[in-house]
Amino acid sequence: MRIVTCIAPVNIAVIKYWGKRNEELILPINDSISASLDTNQMCAKTTVMISPDFESDRIWLNGREESIDNKRLQRCIQEIRKRVAVSGGTLSEEICQWKIHICSENNFPTAAGLASSAAGYACLAAALAKLYDFTGNISEIARLGSGSACRSVYGGFVRWYMGSDPTGRDSIAKQIAPETHWPEMRIIVLVVNDSKKKVSSAIGMKRSVETSKLLEYRAKHVPQKVEEMHQAILDKNFSKFAELTMRDSNQMHAVCLDTFPPCFYLNDISCTIIQLINAYNSAFDSIKVAYTNDAGPNTVLYLLEENVPLVLGLIDFFFPPSTISGQLYKKGNPPESITPTKKLLEKIDLQPQPIGSIRNIIYTRIGCGSTQLQNPSEHLLDNNGLPKNIQYL
Ligand code: DP6
């Protein structure tokens, strides 16, 4: 038998992927750029195992056995097997036909709706590549699971090139700069309380492609923004980086509203956070923080380390935490908050929100890409190929 375990990061786009030109191959209508977040706070972990003793392919996700007949999942597995067979890899044809068991979990609550499929598919692609000694491009395999997953294969700042080849061969991610490039950069993930069921990003973006004229406009103008963002990252130009990030998030959500029927991903709390950040930047007459939202109400802030204590102080003031949650409210060991002055609060001029509007805060930084874990104690499957964690059974 063969067994491999990998971890992969969550990534948060600063120039968004929104819209496919090919649904089947998951080919986007524009390049996108993201940063991969530190796996210590948020990551997917996946063990893959093949054995002649397994009777069928099986998968366990976050504590539950799920159907293996998921189209995207099958595509990743089949594609990697096919490519290994064609390139005459190191494993015999017989071994490549052994049934596979997959077990995957996140170290953050999936219910929080945070880019979990990106980390999950990047992790699966990385683990399958090691399992089958695949030497091709892993981001291309991850992309077949979920578009944004191709960016989670790498650490630091990553660009997904849309490519032009109809086969998707050149629609791959590449690193712009490693995780060490901008050491002062910090990320604060604000997990917003929300129970509404959202339209998935796959369905939302399909609907946008079909109905939004604004998306056509966006597609024409993103190439310029991507180049500017790429350069801002290389130059470590924070105010340029932050302005582009906020504008791009705003535009993606404007496209969602221009979609028919419209998709609403932001809620009142996300909008108040956006107002707070704009008011804070205005109060200092300089862009010190950027916000961005994916297909959900959770808001992610990018900022430099020196500004974290005051920004946390403002969040504490305007979004008082619930004291009854019992869980650790702030994760990732953030620094002590600074209480904002009366003068700053007057300038910001917003109303504090109901207690518990933000469920928790994850403080993190830029991190590395998918990585194989060598210690056998890290495997999520035991020697029989069953989940070690009893809750799965
Ligand atoms: C809003 O990668 O989840 O997070 O390719 O259909 O799986 P599929 O979509 P997905 O879309 C993510 C969209 C986004 C923006 C981004 O991450 O670039």
Side-chain angles (χ1 to χ4, degrees):
M1 60 92 156
R2 284 170 70 86
I3 184 164
V4 172
T5 298
C6 286
I7 54 170
V10 162
N11 76 73
I12 300 293
V14 289
I15 299 289
K16 307 287 184 194
Y17 146 54
W18 194 255
K20 299 181 183 71
R21 64 181 196 277
N22 181 321
E23 288 278 329
E24 203 55 24
L25 293 173
I26 313 201
L27 301 177
I29 59 168
N30 60 266
D31 288 16
S32 54
I33 296 183
S34 60
S36 292
L37 308 189
D38 188 349
T39 48
N40 284 314
Q41 271 72 51
M42 294 162 86
C43 75
K45 181 176 181 186
T46 303
T47 298
V48 289
M49 182 173 177
I50 47 174
S51 162
D53 300 333
F54 293 166
E55 284 167 10
S56 58
D57 292 338
R58 294 175 76 178
I59 182 163
W60 293 264
L61 292 177
N62 291 309
R64 282 196 12 216
E65 180 157 18
E66 305 276 345
S67 165
I68 193 92
D69 290 326
N70 169 312
K71 212 170 106 197
R72 290 174 170 211
L73 174 66
Q74 284 300 330
R75 225 197 149 109
C76 290
I77 303 173
Q78 299 316 334
E79 191 65 27
I80 218 156
R81 283 182 175 156
K82 193 173 89 193
R83 299 227 187 151
V84 167
V86 170
S87 68
T90 55
L91 303 185
S92 71
E93 215 170 292
E94 190 202 332
I95 294 182
C96 288
Q97 292 311 317
W98 287 350
K99 299 292 179 200
I100 187 164
H101 283 190
I102 302 169
C103 188
S104 185
E105 56 188 41
N106 299 325
N107 67 350
F108 59 94
T110 358
L114 292 158
S116 52
S117 67
Y121 274 109
C123 202
L124 177 71
L128 289 174
K130 288 280 174 204
L131 187 76
Y132 291 110
D133 282 341
F134 170 74
T135 49
N137 190 295
I138 300 177
S139 80
E140 204 191 330
I141 305 295
R143 193 202 72 224
L144 295 171
S146 180
S148 56
C150 72
R151 298 185 310 239
S152 274
V153 168
Y154 303 105
F157 295 89
V158 183
R159 175 166 172 179
W160 173 12
Y161 290 81
M162 63 181 283
S164 57
D165 192 315
T167 64
R169 273 277 159 121
D170 56 356
S171 189
I172 54 175
K174 290 183 188 167
Q175 189 178 65
I176 295 176
E179 58 280 9
T180 48
H181 169 69
W182 204 342
E184 306 82 14
M185 185 66 92
R186 294 291 178 274
I187 294 97
I188 299 176
V189 180
L190 301 170
V191 182
V192 168
N193 253 334
D194 190 69
S195 52
K196 265 186 261 142
K197 188 150 171 38
K198 295 283 175 229
V199 175
S200 75
S201 37
I203 295 191
M205 67 174 82
K206 182 164 188 286
R207 208 190 275 174
S208 296
V209 168
E210 287 162 0
T211 64
S212 170
K213 283 271 173 244
L214 184 55
L215 185 59
E216 285 175 28
Y217 170 89
R218 171 175 164 75
K220 283 197 197 108
H221 292 83
V222 174
Q224 161 90 23
K225 286 203 280 186
V226 168
E227 295 311 328
E228 287 178 31
M229 178 61 90
H230 193 133
Q231 198 55 46
I233 291 169
L234 292 178
D235 295 344
K236 296 196 259 183
N237 179 343
F238 185 82
S239 61
K240 183 81 186 163
F241 168 88
E243 184 177 336
L244 287 167
T245 298
M246 293 187 280
R247 283 179 178 273
D248 195 65
S249 175
N250 295 346
Q251 192 181 62
M252 187 198 106
H253 290 279
V255 165
C256 290
L257 276 186
D258 188 50
T259 295
F260 195 78
C263 303
F264 302 99
Y265 291 116
L266 307 179
N267 67 13
D268 287 354
I269 300 303
S270 339
C271 291
T272 310
I273 298 169
I274 292 172
Q275 280 175 287
L276 169 63
I277 300 307
N278 279 308
Y280 169 80
N281 287 335
S282 298
F284 285 91
D285 208 11
S286 118
I287 302 186
K288 288 172 175 287
V289 189
Y291 56 79
T292 184
N293 280 80
D294 285 337
N298 298 322
T299 305
V300 177
L301 308 181
Y302 279 94
L303 70 173
L304 299 179
E305 189 180 13
E306 60 190 13
N307 298 317
V308 170
L310 183 52
V311 168
L312 285 177
L314 286 167
I315 293 167
D316 290 343
F317 181 85
F318 288 106
F319 303 93
S322 158
T323 45
I324 52 165
S325 92
Q327 277 191 342
L328 187 61
Y329 174 66
K330 285 183 190 163
K331 299 183 175 136
N333 286 323
E336 279 290 312
S337 308
I338 291 180
T339 309
T341 59
K342 209 162 156 257
K343 203 167 145 219
L344 177 60
L345 290 175
E346 273 166 17
K347 274 193 180 172
I348 287 180
D349 191 25
L350 276 175
Q351 287 305 310
Q353 298 300 299
I355 287 173
S357 302
I358 291 183
R359 192 161 39 164
N360 55 54
I361 294 180
I362 306 169
Y363 175 64
T364 187
R365 56 188 75 204
I366 312 282
C368 8
S370 61
T371 314
Q372 183 176 7
L373 302 180
Q374 300 293 350
N375 191 331
S377 69
E378 296 282 3
H379 295 319
L380 298 174
L381 295 169
D382 65 17
N383 286 338
N384 299 315
L386 294 173
K388 285 182 185 169
N389 193 336
I390 198 75
Q391 64 160 325
Y392 285 85
L393 300 171

